[in-house]
Amino acid sequence: MPVHPVPVGDPHEFGRIDADGTVWLKTSSGERQIGSWQAGTVEEGLAHFSRKFADLATEVEILEERLTARSGDPRKTQASAAHLLADLPDAQVLGDVDGLAARLTVIVSGADDVAQEVRDQRESARSSAIERKEQLAAEAESIGADSTSWKAGGDRLRAILDEWKTIKGIDRKTDDALWRRYSKARDAFNRRRGAHFAELDRERAGAKARKEELIAEAEALSNSTDWGPTAGKFRDLLTEWKAAGRAPRDTDEALWLRFKAAQDVFFQARNAVNSERDAEFAENATAKIALLDEAEAKIDPTADLEAARREFRTFREKWDEIGKVPREQMHKLESRARALEKRLRDEEDADWARTDPEAQARAAQFTERAEKLDEQAEKAAAAGKDRDAADFRQQADQWREWANAAHSALTDR
Protein backbone atom coordinates (compact mmCIF):
# COMPACT_ATOMS: atom_id res chain seq x y z
CA MET A 1 0.00 0.00 0.00
CA PRO A 2 1.76 3.20 -1.16
CA VAL A 3 1.65 6.02 1.38
CA HIS A 4 1.25 9.64 0.26
CA PRO A 5 0.73 12.69 2.48
CA VAL A 6 -2.90 13.74 2.82
CA PRO A 7 -3.23 17.21 1.23
CA VAL A 8 -4.82 19.76 3.56
CA GLY A 9 -5.77 22.09 0.74
CA ASP A 10 -7.53 25.47 0.82
CA PRO A 11 -10.13 25.56 3.65
CA HIS A 12 -12.34 27.75 1.42
CA GLU A 13 -12.64 24.77 -0.92
CA PHE A 14 -13.96 22.52 1.82
CA GLY A 15 -16.10 24.81 3.97
CA ARG A 16 -17.35 28.20 5.01
CA ILE A 17 -18.31 30.22 8.10
CA ASP A 18 -21.57 32.21 8.16
CA ALA A 19 -21.89 35.73 9.53
CA ASP A 20 -23.38 34.27 12.73
CA GLY A 21 -20.32 32.01 13.18
CA THR A 22 -21.87 28.75 11.99
CA VAL A 23 -19.20 26.50 10.42
CA TRP A 24 -20.15 24.35 7.40
CA LEU A 25 -18.24 21.42 5.84
CA LYS A 26 -18.65 20.70 2.13
CA THR A 27 -18.82 16.99 1.23
CA SER A 28 -19.91 14.97 -1.80
CA SER A 29 -23.30 14.49 -0.15
CA GLY A 30 -23.75 18.19 0.59
CA GLU A 31 -22.99 20.61 3.38
CA ARG A 32 -23.25 19.80 7.06
CA GLN A 33 -22.81 21.94 10.15
CA ILE A 34 -19.75 21.00 12.17
CA GLY A 35 -19.57 23.72 14.79
CA SER A 36 -19.52 27.41 15.63
CA TRP A 37 -16.70 29.98 15.54
CA GLN A 38 -16.84 33.07 17.76
CA ALA A 39 -13.20 33.46 18.78
CA GLY A 40 -11.87 35.54 15.90
CA THR A 41 -12.10 36.37 12.23
CA VAL A 42 -13.52 34.07 9.60
CA GLU A 43 -10.03 33.36 8.21
CA GLU A 44 -8.79 32.47 11.67
CA GLY A 45 -11.76 30.13 12.10
CA LEU A 46 -11.15 28.45 8.74
CA ALA A 47 -7.47 27.99 9.66
CA HIS A 48 -8.42 26.51 13.04
CA PHE A 49 -10.70 23.83 11.58
CA SER A 50 -8.21 23.18 8.78
CA ARG A 51 -5.49 22.47 11.35
CA LYS A 52 -7.78 20.00 13.08
CA PHE A 53 -8.20 18.28 9.71
CA ALA A 54 -4.41 18.20 9.30
CA ASP A 55 -4.08 16.52 12.70
CA LEU A 56 -6.64 13.90 11.71
CA ALA A 57 -4.93 13.39 8.35
CA THR A 58 -1.63 12.82 10.15
CA GLU A 59 -3.22 10.02 12.19
CA VAL A 60 -4.40 8.40 8.95
CA GLU A 61 -0.91 8.67 7.41
CA ILE A 62 0.62 7.04 10.49
CA LEU A 63 -1.82 4.12 10.23
CA GLU A 64 -1.04 3.73 6.52
CA GLU A 65 2.71 3.78 7.17
CA ARG A 66 2.35 1.24 9.97
CA LEU A 67 0.41 -1.11 7.74
CA THR A 68 2.78 -0.65 4.80
CA ALA A 69 5.88 -1.22 6.94
CA ARG A 70 4.29 -4.29 8.59
CA SER A 71 5.11 -2.81 11.97
CA GLY A 72 2.95 -3.50 14.99
CA ASP A 73 -0.20 -5.60 15.01
CA PRO A 74 -2.26 -5.16 11.80
CA ARG A 75 -5.42 -5.91 13.82
CA LYS A 76 -4.79 -2.98 16.09
CA THR A 77 -4.13 -0.76 13.08
CA GLN A 78 -7.40 -1.96 11.58
CA ALA A 79 -9.30 -1.21 14.79
CA SER A 80 -7.83 2.31 15.00
CA ALA A 81 -8.78 3.02 11.37
CA ALA A 82 -12.31 1.71 11.93
CA HIS A 83 -12.68 3.94 14.98
CA LEU A 84 -11.54 7.02 13.02
CA LEU A 85 -13.87 6.09 10.16
CA ALA A 86 -16.82 5.76 12.52
CA ASP A 87 -16.11 9.16 14.11
CA LEU A 88 -15.48 10.92 10.79
CA PRO A 89 -19.13 11.95 10.12
CA ASP A 90 -19.08 13.98 13.35
CA ALA A 91 -15.53 15.29 13.02
CA GLN A 92 -15.25 19.09 13.42
CA VAL A 93 -12.69 19.59 10.63
CA LEU A 94 -12.41 21.37 7.30
CA GLY A 95 -10.73 19.35 4.53
CA ASP A 96 -11.17 16.51 2.09
CA VAL A 97 -13.16 14.33 4.47
CA ASP A 98 -14.41 12.15 1.59
CA GLY A 99 -10.81 11.40 0.58
CA LEU A 100 -9.90 10.68 4.18
CA ALA A 101 -12.86 8.28 4.48
CA ALA A 102 -11.74 6.46 1.34
CA ARG A 103 -8.21 6.03 2.69
CA LEU A 104 -9.49 4.76 6.04
CA THR A 105 -11.76 2.30 4.21
CA VAL A 106 -8.72 0.93 2.33
CA ILE A 107 -6.87 0.47 5.63
CA VAL A 108 -9.78 -1.36 7.22
CA SER A 109 -10.33 -3.64 4.23
CA GLY A 110 -6.61 -4.34 3.62
CA ALA A 111 -5.59 -5.04 7.19
CA ASP A 112 -6.80 -8.67 7.08
CA ASP A 113 -4.51 -9.46 4.14
CA VAL A 114 -1.59 -7.75 5.83
CA ALA A 115 -2.27 -9.64 9.04
CA GLN A 116 -2.22 -12.94 7.14
CA GLU A 117 0.98 -11.92 5.36
CA VAL A 118 2.64 -11.05 8.67
CA ARG A 119 1.56 -14.40 10.10
CA ASP A 120 2.98 -16.19 7.06
CA GLN A 121 6.26 -14.30 7.32
CA ARG A 122 6.56 -15.06 11.02
CA GLU A 123 5.81 -18.72 10.46
CA SER A 124 8.37 -18.87 7.66
CA ALA A 125 10.97 -17.16 9.87
CA ARG A 126 10.10 -19.55 12.71
CA SER A 127 10.50 -22.59 10.43
CA SER A 128 13.84 -21.30 9.17
CA ALA A 129 15.04 -20.62 12.71
CA ILE A 130 13.99 -24.09 13.86
CA GLU A 131 15.68 -25.69 10.85
CA ARG A 132 18.95 -23.84 11.53
CA LYS A 133 18.96 -24.72 15.23
CA GLU A 134 18.23 -28.34 14.36
CA GLN A 135 21.27 -28.28 12.05
CA LEU A 136 23.42 -26.75 14.77
CA ALA A 137 22.14 -29.23 17.37
CA ALA A 138 22.89 -32.15 15.03
CA GLU A 139 26.42 -30.82 14.40
CA ALA A 140 26.95 -30.40 18.15
CA GLU A 141 25.74 -33.97 18.72
CA SER A 142 28.22 -35.27 16.15
CA ILE A 143 31.06 -33.39 17.86
CA GLY A 144 29.91 -34.50 21.29
CA ALA A 145 29.75 -38.17 20.27
CA ASP A 146 32.76 -38.61 17.95
CA SER A 147 35.23 -35.72 17.80
CA THR A 148 38.70 -36.19 19.25
CA SER A 149 39.98 -32.85 17.96
CA TRP A 150 39.68 -31.36 21.40
CA LYS A 151 40.65 -27.77 20.63
CA ALA A 152 38.87 -27.56 17.27
CA GLY A 153 35.80 -29.29 18.68
CA GLY A 154 35.64 -26.95 21.68
CA ASP A 155 36.09 -23.92 19.43
CA ARG A 156 33.29 -25.09 17.12
CA LEU A 157 30.88 -25.70 20.02
CA ARG A 158 31.52 -22.15 21.23
CA ALA A 159 30.95 -20.80 17.69
CA ILE A 160 27.68 -22.76 17.50
CA LEU A 161 26.63 -21.19 20.80
CA ASP A 162 27.41 -17.69 19.50
CA GLU A 163 25.28 -18.27 16.40
CA TRP A 164 22.57 -19.95 18.51
CA LYS A 165 22.11 -16.77 20.53
CA THR A 166 21.40 -14.77 17.37
CA ILE A 167 18.54 -17.03 16.20
CA LYS A 168 15.17 -15.75 17.42
CA GLY A 169 11.48 -16.29 16.78
CA ILE A 170 11.04 -19.86 18.05
CA ASP A 171 8.36 -20.81 20.56
CA ARG A 172 9.63 -21.54 24.06
CA LYS A 173 8.80 -25.25 24.09
CA THR A 174 10.56 -26.01 20.79
CA ASP A 175 13.51 -23.77 21.65
CA ASP A 176 13.97 -25.47 25.03
CA ALA A 177 13.95 -28.92 23.43
CA LEU A 178 16.59 -27.88 20.87
CA TRP A 179 18.69 -26.26 23.59
CA ARG A 180 18.65 -29.46 25.62
CA ARG A 181 20.06 -31.32 22.60
CA TYR A 182 22.89 -28.82 22.22
CA SER A 183 23.61 -28.69 25.94
CA LYS A 184 23.66 -32.48 26.24
CA ALA A 185 26.05 -32.75 23.28
CA ARG A 186 28.37 -30.11 24.75
CA ASP A 187 28.38 -31.88 28.12
CA ALA A 188 29.20 -35.20 26.41
CA PHE A 189 32.13 -33.61 24.57
CA ASN A 190 33.45 -32.01 27.76
CA ARG A 191 33.22 -35.33 29.62
CA ARG A 192 35.09 -37.20 26.89
CA ARG A 193 37.72 -34.47 26.68
CA GLY A 194 38.18 -34.53 30.46
CA ALA A 195 38.50 -38.33 30.39
CA HIS A 196 41.06 -38.09 27.57
CA PHE A 197 43.31 -35.72 29.46
CA ALA A 198 42.85 -37.70 32.66
CA GLU A 199 44.06 -40.77 30.76
CA LEU A 200 47.06 -38.81 29.52
CA ASP A 201 47.84 -37.91 33.11
CA ARG A 202 47.62 -41.58 34.09
CA GLU A 203 49.89 -42.57 31.21
CA ARG A 204 52.47 -39.96 32.20
CA ALA A 205 52.30 -41.14 35.80
CA GLY A 206 52.81 -44.73 34.58
CA ALA A 207 55.79 -43.66 32.47
CA LYS A 208 57.30 -41.89 35.49
CA ALA A 209 56.91 -45.00 37.65
CA ARG A 210 58.44 -47.23 34.94
CA LYS A 211 61.38 -44.89 34.42
CA GLU A 212 62.04 -44.83 38.15
CA GLU A 213 62.17 -48.64 38.03
CA LEU A 214 64.62 -48.48 35.10
CA ILE A 215 66.74 -45.96 37.01
CA ALA A 216 66.87 -48.35 39.98
CA GLU A 217 67.99 -51.16 37.67
CA ALA A 218 70.57 -48.93 36.01
CA GLU A 219 71.94 -47.74 39.36
CA ALA A 220 72.17 -51.37 40.54
CA LEU A 221 74.21 -52.21 37.43
CA SER A 222 76.37 -49.09 37.54
CA ASN A 223 79.06 -50.69 39.75
CA SER A 224 79.22 -53.95 37.81
CA THR A 225 82.60 -55.04 36.45
CA ASP A 226 81.10 -57.62 34.13
CA TRP A 227 81.72 -55.24 31.25
CA GLY A 228 80.29 -56.97 28.19
CA PRO A 229 77.01 -58.38 29.57
CA THR A 230 76.38 -55.26 31.66
CA ALA A 231 76.87 -52.98 28.66
CA GLY A 232 74.28 -55.10 26.84
CA LYS A 233 71.89 -54.77 29.79
CA PHE A 234 72.31 -50.99 29.68
CA ARG A 235 71.41 -51.02 26.00
CA ASP A 236 68.29 -53.05 26.82
CA LEU A 237 67.41 -50.58 29.58
CA LEU A 238 67.78 -47.70 27.16
CA THR A 239 65.41 -49.42 24.71
CA GLU A 240 62.89 -49.89 27.50
CA TRP A 241 63.40 -46.26 28.52
CA LYS A 242 62.45 -45.06 25.07
CA ALA A 243 59.44 -47.38 25.02
CA ALA A 244 58.20 -46.13 28.41
CA GLY A 245 56.95 -42.85 26.97
CA ARG A 246 57.21 -39.38 28.43
CA ALA A 247 56.77 -38.67 32.10
CA PRO A 248 55.31 -35.35 33.29
CA ARG A 249 57.27 -32.53 31.70
CA ASP A 250 58.61 -31.16 34.99
CA THR A 251 60.24 -34.50 35.92
CA ASP A 252 61.13 -36.20 32.63
CA GLU A 253 64.46 -34.44 32.12
CA ALA A 254 65.52 -35.02 35.74
CA LEU A 255 64.71 -38.73 35.41
CA TRP A 256 66.75 -38.95 32.23
CA LEU A 257 69.74 -37.31 33.90
CA ARG A 258 69.59 -39.87 36.72
CA PHE A 259 69.36 -42.74 34.25
CA LYS A 260 72.16 -41.33 32.16
CA ALA A 261 74.27 -40.76 35.26
CA ALA A 262 73.94 -44.45 36.17
CA GLN A 263 75.11 -45.40 32.68
CA ASP A 264 77.98 -42.94 32.91
CA VAL A 265 79.15 -44.46 36.20
CA PHE A 266 79.36 -47.90 34.64
CA PHE A 267 81.00 -46.87 31.39
CA GLN A 268 83.44 -44.52 33.03
CA ALA A 269 84.49 -47.30 35.42
CA ARG A 270 84.92 -49.69 32.54
CA ASN A 271 87.01 -47.15 30.67
CA ALA A 272 89.15 -46.55 33.75
CA VAL A 273 89.89 -50.27 34.12
CA ASN A 274 90.78 -50.56 30.46
CA SER A 275 92.86 -47.37 30.26
CA GLU A 276 95.96 -49.42 29.44
CA ARG A 277 94.31 -50.46 26.21
CA ASP A 278 94.11 -46.86 24.96
CA ALA A 279 96.50 -47.59 22.15
CA GLU A 280 94.15 -50.22 20.86
CA PHE A 281 91.30 -47.77 21.20
CA ALA A 282 92.94 -45.04 19.13
CA GLU A 283 91.34 -46.49 16.02
CA ASN A 284 88.00 -46.39 17.85
CA ALA A 285 88.57 -42.74 18.60
CA THR A 286 89.22 -41.98 14.95
CA ALA A 287 85.99 -43.80 14.02
CA LYS A 288 83.98 -41.93 16.65
CA ILE A 289 85.34 -38.58 15.51
CA ALA A 290 84.24 -39.39 11.97
CA LEU A 291 80.84 -40.54 13.24
CA LEU A 292 80.44 -37.31 15.25
CA ASP A 293 81.47 -35.20 12.27
CA GLU A 294 78.90 -36.96 10.12
CA ALA A 295 76.16 -36.79 12.79
CA GLU A 296 76.78 -33.12 13.62
CA ALA A 297 76.50 -32.25 9.96
CA LYS A 298 73.53 -34.51 9.30
CA ILE A 299 71.33 -34.31 12.42
CA ASP A 300 69.20 -31.12 12.43
CA PRO A 301 66.26 -31.41 14.87
CA THR A 302 64.94 -27.96 13.95
CA ALA A 303 64.51 -29.00 10.33
CA ASP A 304 62.99 -32.49 10.87
CA LEU A 305 62.62 -33.76 14.43
CA GLU A 306 61.54 -37.30 13.52
CA ALA A 307 64.38 -37.69 11.06
CA ALA A 308 66.78 -36.33 13.68
CA ARG A 309 65.50 -38.91 16.18
CA ARG A 310 66.08 -41.71 13.69
CA GLU A 311 69.51 -40.42 12.79
CA PHE A 312 70.41 -39.98 16.46
CA ARG A 313 69.27 -43.53 17.27
CA THR A 314 71.44 -44.76 14.42
CA PHE A 315 74.26 -42.58 15.68
CA ARG A 316 73.94 -43.95 19.23
CA GLU A 317 73.85 -47.53 18.00
CA LYS A 318 76.95 -47.01 15.88
CA TRP A 319 78.58 -45.07 18.71
CA ASP A 320 78.11 -47.92 21.17
CA GLU A 321 79.21 -50.51 18.61
CA ILE A 322 82.53 -48.75 18.00
CA GLY A 323 83.54 -49.25 21.62
CA LYS A 324 85.97 -47.50 23.92
CA VAL A 325 88.43 -44.77 23.06
CA PRO A 326 91.59 -43.60 24.83
CA ARG A 327 90.75 -42.06 28.20
CA GLU A 328 92.18 -38.63 27.35
CA GLN A 329 89.88 -38.39 24.33
CA MET A 330 86.79 -39.88 25.93
CA HIS A 331 85.53 -36.70 27.65
CA LYS A 332 85.86 -34.54 24.56
CA LEU A 333 84.10 -37.06 22.35
CA GLU A 334 81.39 -37.72 24.95
CA SER A 335 80.85 -33.98 25.35
CA ARG A 336 80.29 -33.65 21.62
CA ALA A 337 77.87 -36.58 21.72
CA ARG A 338 76.01 -35.09 24.69
CA ALA A 339 75.83 -31.74 22.93
CA LEU A 340 74.30 -33.49 19.92
CA GLU A 341 71.85 -35.27 22.21
CA LYS A 342 71.05 -32.01 23.99
CA ARG A 343 70.19 -30.35 20.66
CA LEU A 344 67.72 -33.15 20.02
CA ARG A 345 66.21 -33.08 23.52
CA ASP A 346 65.95 -29.29 23.51
CA GLU A 347 63.93 -29.47 20.31
CA GLU A 348 61.83 -32.31 21.76
CA ASP A 349 61.14 -30.15 24.81
CA ALA A 350 60.23 -27.21 22.57
CA ASP A 351 57.92 -29.44 20.52
CA TRP A 352 56.37 -30.76 23.75
CA ALA A 353 55.85 -27.20 24.97
CA ARG A 354 54.07 -26.24 21.77
CA THR A 355 51.64 -29.17 22.09
CA ASP A 356 51.32 -29.33 25.88
CA PRO A 357 47.73 -30.61 26.41
CA GLU A 358 47.64 -29.39 30.01
CA ALA A 359 48.38 -25.79 29.00
CA GLN A 360 45.92 -25.99 26.10
CA ALA A 361 43.20 -27.40 28.35
CA ARG A 362 43.89 -24.71 30.95
CA ALA A 363 43.64 -21.95 28.32
CA ALA A 364 40.38 -23.48 27.04
CA GLN A 365 38.99 -23.65 30.59
CA PHE A 366 39.80 -19.95 31.15
CA THR A 367 38.00 -19.07 27.89
CA GLU A 368 35.01 -21.22 28.79
CA ARG A 369 34.81 -19.62 32.24
CA ALA A 370 34.82 -16.14 30.66
CA GLU A 371 32.02 -17.16 28.28
CA LYS A 372 29.89 -18.55 31.12
CA LEU A 373 30.32 -15.30 33.04
CA ASP A 374 29.28 -13.38 29.89
CA GLU A 375 26.13 -15.50 29.77
CA GLN A 376 25.42 -14.77 33.44
CA ALA A 377 25.93 -11.05 32.76
CA GLU A 378 23.44 -11.17 29.89
CA LYS A 379 20.87 -12.97 32.05
CA ALA A 380 21.37 -10.49 34.90
CA ALA A 381 21.03 -7.53 32.53
CA ALA A 382 17.88 -9.03 31.03
CA ALA A 383 16.46 -9.38 34.53
CA GLY A 384 17.25 -5.74 35.29
CA LYS A 385 20.07 -6.61 37.69
CA ASP A 386 22.54 -4.12 36.27
CA ARG A 387 24.86 -4.25 39.26
CA ASP A 388 25.15 -8.04 39.10
CA ALA A 389 25.63 -7.81 35.33
CA ALA A 390 28.51 -5.36 35.79
CA ASP A 391 30.16 -7.68 38.33
CA PHE A 392 29.83 -10.65 36.01
CA ARG A 393 31.29 -8.66 33.10
CA GLN A 394 34.24 -7.56 35.25
CA GLN A 395 34.91 -11.17 36.23
CA ALA A 396 34.54 -12.27 32.60
CA ASP A 397 37.11 -9.66 31.51
CA GLN A 398 39.57 -10.94 34.12
CA TRP A 399 39.14 -14.58 33.05
CA ARG A 400 39.41 -13.55 29.37
CA GLU A 401 42.65 -11.74 30.14
CA TRP A 402 44.01 -14.91 31.75
CA ALA A 403 42.82 -16.97 28.76
CA ASN A 404 44.57 -14.59 26.34
CA ALA A 405 47.74 -14.79 28.39
CA ALA A 406 47.57 -18.60 28.39
CA HIS A 407 47.02 -18.73 24.61
CA SER A 408 49.85 -16.25 24.07
CA ALA A 409 52.15 -18.40 26.19
CA LEU A 410 51.39 -21.41 24.00
CA THR A 411 51.97 -19.38 20.84
CA ASP A 412 55.23 -17.89 22.04
CA ARG A 413 56.77 -21.21 23.07
Side-chain angles (χ1 to χ4, degrees):
M1 178 190 296
V3 179
H4 303 289
V6 177
V8 175
D10 183 357
H12 291 279
E13 179 183 352
F14 299 105
R16 60 188 178 82
I17 299 178
D18 287 345
D20 61 358
T22 301
V23 184
W24 297 89
L25 170 68
K26 298 176 182 178
T27 68
S28 59
S29 59
E31 289 187 333
R32 64 179 174 84
Q33 183 179 346
I34 62 170
S36 177
W37 178 256
Q38 305 294 333
T41 66
V42 170
E43 291 302 323
E44 289 173 340
L46 292 172
H48 169 74
F49 288 99
S50 181
R51 282 194 299 272
K52 293 181 70 176
F53 175 82
D55 293 339
L56 185 59
T58 299
E59 291 187 57
V60 175
E61 290 173 24
I62 291 172
L63 293 176
E64 288 176 329
E65 290 172 356
R66 190 178 299 162
L67 205 60
T68 300
R70 309 301 191 256
S71 62
D73 185 351
R75 295 295 187 187
K76 291 182 179 179
T77 301
Q78 184 183 50
S80 297
H83 179 72
L84 291 177
L85 187 61
D87 290 345
L88 199 58
D90 299 321
Q92 295 180 331
V93 298
L94 286 180
D96 185 6
V97 173
D98 292 334
L100 213 57
R103 295 176 77 148
L104 286 168
T105 300
V106 170
I107 294 173
V108 172
S109 61
D112 289 335
D113 292 338
V114 173
Q116 184 60 47
E117 182 182 336
V118 168
R119 283 194 296 272
D120 292 344
Q121 289 174 346
R122 287 176 180 170
E123 181 58 30
S124 176
R126 175 182 175 276
S127 298
S128 297
I130 291 174
E131 181 180 2
R132 182 54 184 155
K133 282 198 172 181
E134 286 177 339
Q135 292 171 350
L136 293 174
E139 183 183 356
E141 287 167 341
S142 176
I143 293 171
D146 303 319
S147 177
T148 55
S149 300
W150 307 117
K151 183 179 186 307
D155 289 344
R156 181 54 190 153
L157 286 173
R158 284 189 290 275
I160 288 174
L161 179 60
D162 290 340
E163 182 179 350
W164 191 284
K165 294 175 183 176
T166 68
I167 302 173
K168 310 295 182 183
I170 303 176
D171 61 277
R172 182 65 177 270
K173 181 179 178 181
T174 303
D175 201 45
D176 286 347
L178 291 169
W179 171 254
R180 284 192 293 272
R181 287 178 58 188
Y182 168 80
S183 181
K184 182 178 179 181
R186 183 176 61 180
D187 290 345
F189 176 82
N190 289 336
R191 283 194 300 273
R192 290 195 305 108
R193 180 172 61 183
H196 168 77
F197 287 116
E199 179 61 26
L200 283 183
D201 289 340
R202 286 190 290 271
E203 290 176 0
R204 286 193 289 268
K208 179 176 181 290
R210 180 56 184 149
K211 286 186 173 182
E212 288 174 339
E213 292 174 355
L214 294 173
I215 289 170
E217 293 183 45
E219 289 173 342
L221 290 171
S222 62
N223 294 319
S224 173
T225 57
D226 193 3
W227 310 120
T230 303
K233 290 178 181 178
F234 268 111
R235 283 193 294 271
D236 292 341
L237 288 178
L238 182 60
T239 299
E240 292 185 54
W241 183 277
K242 294 174 181 177
R246 293 191 68 90
R249 183 171 176 268
D250 58 346
T251 60
D252 200 61
E253 180 63 20
L255 291 170
W256 167 252
L257 292 176
R258 288 175 58 196
F259 180 80
K260 188 66 169 61
Q263 291 186 98
D264 291 345
V265 168
F266 168 77
F267 288 110
Q268 288 169 7
R270 187 184 67 171
N271 290 340
V273 170
N274 295 322
S275 60
E276 69 277 5
R277 299 172 58 187
D278 281 351
E280 177 187 342
F281 297 156
E283 185 177 349
N284 292 349
T286 301
K288 283 195 172 184
I289 289 171
L291 181 62
L292 276 169
D293 290 341
E294 179 185 3
E296 288 169 346
K298 192 173 183 180
I299 296 175
D300 185 0
T302 60
D304 189 336
L305 182 57
E306 285 300 322
R309 287 190 180 113
R310 292 192 299 271
E311 293 294 338
F312 186 78
R313 283 194 295 270
T314 302
F315 163 78
R316 289 301 308 184
E317 290 170 359
K318 291 180 178 178
W319 180 272
D320 291 338
E321 289 171 1
I322 291 172
K324 300 180 181 68
V325 299
R327 186 172 183 179
E328 65 273 11
Q329 292 181 273
M330 182 176 62
H331 178 72
K332 181 178 180 180
L333 294 177
E334 285 290 340
S335 294
R336 288 178 63 186
R338 282 195 294 270
L340 186 62
E341 182 178 6
K342 187 175 184 302
R343 284 172 52 199
L344 179 62
R345 290 198 173 276
D346 287 347
E347 185 58 28
E348 285 178 335
D349 289 342
D351 182 65
W352 171 261
R354 287 190 293 269
T355 59
D356 183 356
E358 288 182 338
Q360 290 178 344
R362 186 161 50 252
Q365 288 170 357
F366 288 167
T367 300
E368 185 174 351
R369 178 60 177 161
E371 290 173 350
K372 287 182 178 178
L373 286 166
D374 283 334
E375 291 179 15
Q376 290 177 286
E378 289 180 11
K379 290 179 181 178
K385 300 179 179 179
D386 294 339
R387 193 171 197 179
D388 290 346
D391 288 342
F392 284 133
R393 291 191 187 100
Q394 184 177 6
Q395 294 178 51
D397 290 342
Q398 180 62 70
W399 281 93
R400 195 172 292 106
E401 181 178 344
W402 291 337
N404 292 337
H407 284 298
S408 296
L410 283 171
T411 304
D412 294 341
R413 287 176 175 179

